[in-house]
Amino acid sequence: MLFLPAAALCCLCSALVAMAADLIQDDLTLTRRDGETVSFSCGGTDQCDYDEVFWYQKKDIETFTRILYIDKSNGKIERPYNHPQQGDFSPVNKGKGCEVKIQKVKLSHSATYYCSLCFTVNVMIFGSGTKLFVTDEQVVKPVVSVYPAAHLEGKSSLLCLASAMSPPVVQFSWKKQKNGRLEDLPLAAGERLELREPRCTASILLLHQQERSTYKYRCSVKHEGGTVRAQTEQDVSTLPPPTTAPTATPTSAPTATPPAVPSESPTPAPSADPPAALVPSQYQVKLLCVLYTVLIVKSLVYCCGLSLLMILRNKGPSTNCTHAD
């Protein structure tokens, strides 16, 4: 009995995610010095019948807080939420656009800013967010490299590494090439996992196709300093094949020989240790652990999200999209 409601919720979530992808915030990050001006843009806001476009602030150790909203019909900013920094934001003079700016940034403005709009009375969709860094450090493009990783259960995996960048936020994309033509890699072609560390970020592409594919793969990284492409393309056919147990080689029947003499040395017993080729490398073991850990966490997040949607659905309509506060 629970299958149909769960399936309906999954369909609704898929539709909302697809629409949220059209709410565009092109800038992953923006880096400014103290006292400089910064602007935040939001595209795709014409997909909703409501006139209000909301702006949220999310600091690293705090929850989402609503700053203000813009009336799309006249471009006017409304500030009914008593945000402590609401007076620092002003509209960008672009007619009926939804951009906001801070004339003089301060260190306290360091946060991620999201645009949002109401899809229905109690459902909102968000942009991907733009993170503001207020610092004197220079913007440095990442160094990008792509490596063959390993064969796992008949699948091939590639590793794309971005390092030495400032700010540290990047976005990965994969393309495949065959006969000189480069094309986007569809999501169904493989699973993508990301690992983030303070000084580097890695994307693992787990391919569902056969390991002898004729495709080559290229990794690109989007960064505030510009898009950086890996200098080399990787062919999964160059990955080392999975190790298999050695097979016994038949030998010819021994010729008749006289009984063994005592002086002959006995045949040594076979070693109890497995051949070196059958022992997985430390790198392969770590990669397997990382992959399965991320997959388990991903499944838990999906379950929690589905439970939250069920709870919100059972609570009935809310007034999150109203601004009569």
Coordinates of all heavy atoms in Angstrom, one line a residue, residues 1-14 306-307 309-310 313:
M1 N 0.8 -1.2 0.0 CA 0.0 0.0 0.0 C 0.9 1.3 0.0 O 0.5 2.3 -0.5 CB -0.9 0.0 1.2 CG -1.9 -1.1 1.2 SD -3.1 -0.9 -0.1 CE -4.0 0.5 0.3
L2 N 2.0 1.2 0.6 CA 2.9 2.3 0.6 C 3.6 2.6 -0.7 O 4.3 3.6 -0.9 CB 3.9 2.2 1.8 CG 3.4 2.2 3.2 CD1 4.5 1.9 4.2 CD2 2.7 3.5 3.5
F3 N 3.6 1.6 -1.6 CA 4.4 1.7 -2.8 C 3.9 2.8 -3.7 O 4.7 3.6 -4.2 CB 4.3 0.4 -3.6 CG 5.0 0.5 -4.9 CD1 6.4 0.4 -5.0 CD2 4.3 0.6 -6.1 CE1 7.0 0.5 -6.2 CE2 4.9 0.6 -7.3 CZ 6.3 0.6 -7.4
L4 N 2.5 2.9 -3.9 CA 2.0 4.0 -4.8 C 2.3 5.4 -4.2 O 2.7 6.2 -5.0 CB 0.5 3.8 -5.0 CG 0.1 2.5 -5.8 CD1 -1.4 2.4 -5.9 CD2 0.7 2.6 -7.2
P5 N 2.1 5.7 -2.9 CA 2.4 7.0 -2.5 C 3.9 7.3 -2.6 O 4.3 8.4 -3.0 CB 2.0 7.0 -1.0 CG 1.0 6.0 -0.9 CD 1.3 4.9 -1.9
A6 N 4.8 6.3 -2.4 CA 6.2 6.5 -2.5 C 6.6 6.8 -4.0 O 7.4 7.6 -4.3 CB 7.0 5.3 -2.0
A7 N 5.9 6.0 -4.9 CA 6.2 6.2 -6.3 C 5.8 7.6 -6.7 O 6.4 8.3 -7.5 CB 5.5 5.1 -7.1
A8 N 4.6 8.0 -6.2 CA 4.1 9.4 -6.6 C 5.1 10.5 -6.1 O 5.3 11.4 -6.8 CB 2.7 9.6 -6.0
L9 N 5.6 10.3 -4.8 CA 6.5 11.2 -4.3 C 7.8 11.3 -5.1 O 8.4 12.3 -5.4 CB 6.8 10.9 -2.8 CG 5.8 11.3 -1.8 CD1 6.1 10.8 -0.5 CD2 5.6 12.8 -1.8
C10 N 8.3 10.1 -5.5 CA 9.5 10.1 -6.4 C 9.3 10.8 -7.7 O 10.2 11.5 -8.1 CB 9.9 8.6 -6.6 SG 10.5 7.8 -5.2
C11 N 8.1 10.6 -8.3 CA 7.8 11.3 -9.6 C 7.8 12.8 -9.3 O 8.3 13.6 -10.1 CB 6.5 10.8 -10.2 SG 6.6 9.1 -10.7
L12 N 7.1 13.2 -8.2 CA 7.1 14.7 -7.9 C 8.5 15.2 -7.7 O 8.8 16.3 -8.2 CB 6.2 14.9 -6.7 CG 6.1 16.3 -6.1 CD1 5.5 17.2 -7.2 CD2 5.3 16.4 -4.9
C13 N 9.3 14.5 -6.9 CA 10.7 15.0 -6.7 C 11.4 15.1 -8.0 O 12.2 16.1 -8.2 CB 11.4 14.0 -5.7 SG 10.7 14.0 -4.0
S14 N 11.3 14.1 -8.9 CA 12.0 14.2 -10.1 C 11.6 15.4 -10.9 O 12.4 16.1 -11.5 CB 11.8 12.9 -10.9 OG 12.2 11.8 -10.2
L306 N 13.3 11.0 1.4 CA 12.0 10.5 1.2 C 11.1 10.5 2.4 O 9.9 10.9 2.4 CB 12.1 9.1 0.7 CG 10.8 8.4 0.2 CD1 10.1 9.2 -0.9 CD2 11.0 7.0 -0.3
S307 N 11.7 10.2 3.6 CA 11.0 10.3 4.9 C 10.6 11.7 5.2 O 9.4 12.0 5.6 CB 11.9 9.7 6.0 OG 12.2 8.4 5.7
L309 N 10.0 14.1 3.0 CA 8.9 14.5 2.2 C 7.5 13.9 2.7 O 6.5 14.5 2.6 CB 9.2 14.0 0.7 CG 10.2 14.8 0.0 CD1 10.5 14.2 -1.4 CD2 9.7 16.2 -0.3
M310 N 7.6 12.7 3.1 CA 6.4 12.0 3.7 C 5.9 12.8 4.9 O 4.7 13.0 5.1 CB 6.7 10.6 4.1 CG 7.0 9.7 2.9 SD 5.5 9.3 1.9 CE 4.6 8.3 3.1
R313 N 4.4 16.1 3.8 CA 3.1 15.8 3.1 C 2.0 15.6 4.1 O 0.8 16.0 3.9 CB 3.3 14.6 2.1 CG 2.0 14.2 1.4 CD 2.3 13.1 0.4 NE 1.1 12.7 -0.3 CZ 0.3 11.7 0.1 NH1 0.5 11.1 1.3 NH2 -0.8 11.4 -0.6

